[in-house]
Amino acid sequence: MITDEDKERVRQATDFVQLVAETVELRQRGQDFWGCCPFHGEKSPSFKVNPSTGLWHCFGCGEGGDVFSYVQRRENLDFPDAIRYLADRAGIELTEERSARRGPKRSRLLEALDAAEKFYHTMLMRGKGEGPDEARRYFAGRGFGSSVCRRWDLGFAPGRGALVAHLRKLGFTPSEIIAADLAQERSGRLVDRFYDRVMFPIHDEQGRAIAFGGRIIGPRRDNVAKYVNTRDTAAFNKGKHLFAYDRAKEGMAATGEAIVCEGYTDVIAMHEAGFTNAVAALGTAFRLDHVRLMERQRVSRIICMFDGDAAGQRAAERAIRYLDKTSAALMCVVLPDGQDPMEFLAAHGADALRPILASARPLMDFVFEKRLEGYDLSAPGRRVRALEDMASVLAPLKRSVLLHEYATRLADALGMDVEDTKRAIREAPVSELDEGGSMRASAPAPRRQAGGTAGESPSSSRPVSRDVRVDASDDVEVPSDYVPAEAYEEGAAATARPPLTQDLDALSSDERMQVVAERELLAAIAQRPDAMRSFGERIATFSWSDARHEAMSWAMLSTPEGSSPAEVVAAATAVAPEAPVILSGGRVMGDDGLSDQKKLELIVDTAELCSCRRRVREIRSRLRSLPAGGESEGLFEEATALQRRMGELSVRLSSSLSE
């Protein structure tokens, strides 16, 4: 569990403007930074970031909040993972990580891995002897000259304890080196994990070395694996990372496409040829976490470049289990003559590959074709065997809304009844992925879905719930309220609007005006807390339209004098979790036409005028049910005084707005 203290540490360690500026071109205007909203298309900037309050707001789409809600939207994460994302970015170890950790700090592992990356790269670029020479010949033979090796930090692992000795000189302990999977203990001494191999460093999305893939060079020896990859560590999980994702995420976001290759050299060749949205899985099968990682860049197509052999076919069949778990279209490309991307690019160039990628086929088309082409469907018995075979492939989709579509397609191909094909698919055992990426069969199990039964339509409008359902067809947790992108189109768009915007639609014009005035007042308190304290006695008399607003105002004005805007926002959030969204939407303080004092007076006068009108309406309603005299006379006098005050405020506001 993430503590409040950790949350605030992460918030304070994050430069919000710098974070947003990574993907949005910002221009400073007063205290705010403005740009085009990254969450909806627009040509004129209506998106602002206020570094003093730590809040953002878009006046075009109505979204807003704090740094955590921004990361949730940008990276498609739930709230806890947004905090973890920023903590990792800032190098902060959360309390939950310390309590779960056994062994060295993760930060020390990252430092050791960075030092190893530099060591391996130096060995490749400057090393002398047969090993480094052979490594350079290997890369040159694949078209990777020295410039490519430098760009990708490629390296060579000499082994024989060279890396261990280097890291020990830098002060790393044996436990740290082992925990990073850079070495292992044998016969009481530490030996290098990688030796006589060319090295491909694997980075996290922030570009930090977290693991390595090593390929043997020279004649392959018996019982020696061609590729050796870093095992899962506190810094690396092969099922959750993709090779070159740190380089490819911008290309994915720009093109709306992701290309998944099968090898390191293929990805490098693709990037060097201009296809900068290419990635590869890391010594494991393509998994749902990989799909989710690419979805964070809002891709609409994921193109899998499989080899045309049996291994490529198996990889495609494993990937179809994700068809109903992503809004991205899963496509497939098989290059001619059994070539891999690196070979194809070397032989034909980038221009020849572009039309092939553009004409990528749906993944299921490839699976159907490859599976059924091996069967003679002229005999009934052979069609039955083909049905059993295809049913085992489609079994992961047995509870999917796509079942009818694919069962119908299979029935048409085999000349069978749709209900028979559905029954065969439902009764087929589901094959799951084991740790090595191979398949294992398991009996079907019912799906457990938080908040409903299988087949119900989710009601949430964002795939960020912490509740999960366990899908028997996969070993990865899936958000229970996952909604594909199509749900946000056209008619569904209204339900996806921010709740605070929806709330206003049902109010009268006077009520809407007061809500807006109160939010402007709260935003002003957040931005100028000390200046607003002088209005505290007036604010204390207000009749509020929203109890949350009143609680937030008192919480903010009760902070000690000299409190920073961020501290004032935190006080408001403590009494109303929606505070960051409410406080982010103020417009008046960003107006360049008035002095700060005039803005504050205008905001307070407007809020008081709305409050007076509200109180007068309440008194009128009360008077209708009271007899003459007594309490009614007191209420009538109060209403009269309020009417006079409303007149004064109206004159002052008219004067202020005409200046």
Side-chain angles (χ1 to χ4, degrees):
M1 181 176 177
I2 298 174
T3 65
D4 290 340
E5 291 78 8
D6 279 346
K7 177 182 169 184
E8 289 310 309
R9 286 172 59 217
V10 171
R11 190 197 303 275
Q12 293 170 20
T14 302
D15 185 327
F16 196 4
V17 172
Q18 183 181 27
L19 175 72
V20 176
E22 292 175 353
T23 54
V24 179
E25 184 178 349
L26 296 174
R27 298 285 179 87
Q28 187 168 5
R29 217 163 67 202
Q31 285 199 339
D32 298 329
F33 289 79
W34 291 79
C36 290
C37 180
F39 307 127
H40 81 283
E42 62 178 14
K43 295 182 180 178
S44 299
S46 62
F47 172 90
K48 73 166 185 176
V49 180
N50 187 310
S52 63
T53 61
L55 302 176
W56 65 277
H57 188 83
C58 175
F59 294 102
C61 64
E63 297 279 2
D66 60 7
V67 65
F68 301 118
S69 65
Y70 176 79
V71 170
Q72 282 183 258
R73 285 296 313 275
R74 190 180 86 172
E75 303 295 337
N76 198 14
L77 298 172
D78 64 14
F79 182 68
D81 281 341
I83 298 175
R84 295 183 185 106
Y85 173 90
L86 291 172
D88 192 41
R89 173 190 174 94
I92 293 174
E93 185 178 32
L94 301 174
T95 302
E96 64 173 11
E97 294 172 348
R98 287 197 298 273
S99 60
R101 171 172 52 82
R102 295 179 181 176
K105 290 183 178 181
R106 184 172 184 272
S107 59
R108 287 292 289 170
L109 304 193
L110 291 172
E111 291 171 10
L113 289 159
D114 178 68
E117 178 182 42
K118 291 182 172 65
F119 174 80
Y120 291 144
H121 184 63
T122 300
M123 289 294 101
L124 175 69
M125 304 303 290
R126 302 179 187 174
K128 297 180 180 179
E130 183 179 347
D133 287 344
E134 194 168 6
R136 288 188 283 266
R137 285 195 296 271
Y138 170 84
F139 285 125
R142 280 146 185 79
F144 301 164
S146 60
S147 59
V148 175
C149 292
R150 273 192 291 270
R151 277 195 293 274
W152 288 83
D153 297 307
L154 302 179
F156 170 69
R160 301 170 188 83
L163 176 65
V164 168
H166 177 72
L167 294 178
R168 291 300 301 274
K169 285 182 181 178
L170 295 178
F172 293 100
T173 66
S175 62
E176 289 169 342
I177 299 172
I178 292 173
D181 199 32
L182 294 170
Q184 47 199 356
E185 194 170 5
R186 288 182 185 170
S187 303
R189 67 189 185 91
L190 216 55
V191 298
D192 289 357
R193 171 90 161 85
F194 301 94
Y195 54 91
D196 288 337
R197 292 178 181 272
V198 290
M199 301 298 290
F200 298 87
I202 298 160
H203 298 143
D204 64 11
E205 57 191 282
Q206 297 175 43
R208 300 174 301 188
I210 55 173
F212 294 94
R215 186 194 188 281
I216 195 169
I217 53 176
R220 185 173 175 183
R221 300 181 293 275
D222 292 340
N223 301 319
V224 175
K226 182 177 180 181
Y227 277 97
V228 172
N229 298 292
T230 299
R231 302 185 183 96
D232 285 352
T233 68
F236 172 66
N237 183 315
K238 62 178 176 290
K240 295 182 182 295
H241 292 95
L242 290 165
F243 179 68
Y245 179 75
D246 59 313
R247 298 169 181 261
K249 60 182 183 178
E250 288 186 9
M252 292 180 188
T255 62
E257 288 186 351
I259 303 172
V260 182
C261 304
E262 293 198 55
Y264 304 128
T265 55
D266 292 332
V267 171
I268 295 173
M270 291 286 286
H271 277 255
E272 293 297 316
F275 301 98
T276 57
N277 53 341
V279 292
L282 298 163
T284 184
F286 186 47
R287 298 190 178 221
L288 183 58
D289 276 337
H290 297 139
V291 176
R292 292 279 183 256
L293 190 61
M294 290 182 281
E295 275 187 330
R296 282 163 56 180
Q297 305 307 320
R298 292 173 174 80
V299 297
S300 58
R301 295 208 321 164
I302 298 175
I303 302 174
C304 301
M305 297 187 71
F306 296 123
D307 292 342
D309 57 12
Q313 182 179 339
R314 287 194 298 273
E317 290 170 0
R318 287 194 293 265
I320 67 170
R321 64 184 55 221
Y322 311 132
L323 283 170
D324 64 337
K325 298 178 180 67
T326 175
S327 59
L330 291 180
M331 313 298 286
C332 181
V333 162
V334 176
L335 296 174
D337 303 323
Q339 292 179 312
D340 59 35
M342 184 186 69
E343 293 167 340
F344 182 90
L345 288 167
H348 305 285
D351 289 340
L353 183 58
R354 290 191 181 92
I356 295 176
L357 292 172
S359 60
R361 304 165 58 199
L363 183 64
M364 189 60 84
D365 287 0
F366 172 75
V367 171
F368 262 82
E369 179 183 303
K370 295 297 287 185
R371 271 282 174 167
L372 294 180
E373 72 181 6
Y375 285 94
D376 178 359
L377 302 179
S378 61
R382 292 168 184 164
R383 291 199 295 272
V384 170
R385 283 194 292 275
L387 171 62
E388 293 171 350
D389 192 13
M390 280 300 299
S392 67
V393 174
L394 297 174
L397 301 174
K398 64 175 64 183
R399 296 178 187 87
S400 169
V401 294
L402 301 176
L403 174 62
H404 180 75
E405 175 186 345
Y406 294 132
T408 301
R409 178 171 177 175
L410 181 58
D412 290 343
L414 301 179
M416 292 183 173
D417 183 75
V418 174
E419 292 306 315
D420 289 339
T421 59
K422 282 185 181 178
R423 189 180 306 109
I425 294 169
R426 289 192 180 109
E427 293 176 356
V430 177
S431 295
E432 296 180 353
L433 297 176
D434 63 22
E435 275 302 303
S438 58
M439 308 294 284
R440 65 174 185 269
S442 68
R447 174 180 297 179
R448 175 175 60 81
Q449 180 166 330
T453 57
E456 289 182 340
S457 297
S459 59
S460 173
S461 63
R462 289 283 180 258
V464 295
S465 171
R466 295 182 65 185
D467 297 327
V468 298
R469 67 172 183 260
V470 178
D471 187 342
S473 68
D474 208 284
D475 56 357
V476 186
E477 290 184 336
V478 186
S480 65
D481 59 355
Y482 180 75
V483 180
E486 292 79 5
Y488 302 118
E489 302 297 331
E490 298 179 359
T495 62
R497 294 170 58 201
L500 289 172
T501 304
Q502 292 177 9
D503 292 344
L504 297 178
D505 294 343
L507 301 179
S508 67
S509 58
D510 281 350
E511 289 284 338
R512 281 199 300 272
M513 182 181 296
Q514 184 171 4
V515 170
V516 172
E518 289 175 4
R519 291 179 183 174
E520 287 287 352
L521 177 69
L522 295 171
I525 297 174
Q527 294 182 48
R528 304 286 193 281
D530 287 341
M532 287 295 287
R533 296 183 201 281
S534 62
F535 299 99
E537 291 186 9
R538 284 176 63 187
I539 294 172
T541 66
F542 287 2
S543 176
W544 296 82
S545 67
D546 190 323
R548 296 173 300 176
H549 295 174
E550 183 175 14
M552 289 166 57
S553 72
W554 279 112
M556 291 191 288
L557 290 173
S558 297
T559 56
E561 191 166 350
S563 297
S564 69
E567 291 170 332
V568 172
V569 170
T573 306
V575 298
E578 312 93 322
V581 178
I582 294 171
L583 298 175
S584 69
R587 293 173 178 264
V588 176
M589 292 307 296
D591 189 346
D592 295 332
L594 298 172
S595 67
D596 273 8
Q597 186 60 31
K598 283 288 187 182
K599 292 174 191 173
L600 297 180
E601 291 172 357
L602 176 66
I603 289 169
V604 176
D605 285 349
T606 303
E608 185 180 356
L609 178 60
C610 291
S611 170
C612 290
R613 286 174 177 165
R614 182 181 190 82
R615 180 58 182 157
V616 168
R617 290 195 301 272
E618 291 173 348
I619 292 173
R620 286 173 179 167
S621 175
R622 179 70 175 146
L623 286 172
R624 292 190 187 100
S625 62
L626 288 176
E631 183 184 351
S632 62
E633 289 184 3
L635 289 173
F636 184 80
E637 290 177 1
E638 182 184 352
T640 302
L642 287 169
Q643 291 283 9
R644 285 197 300 269
R645 181 61 175 164
M646 287 164 59
E648 295 171 2
L649 292 169
S650 295
V651 170
R652 279 166 46 176
L653 286 169
S654 297
S655 175
S656 297
L657 294 173
S658 63
E659 290 179 358

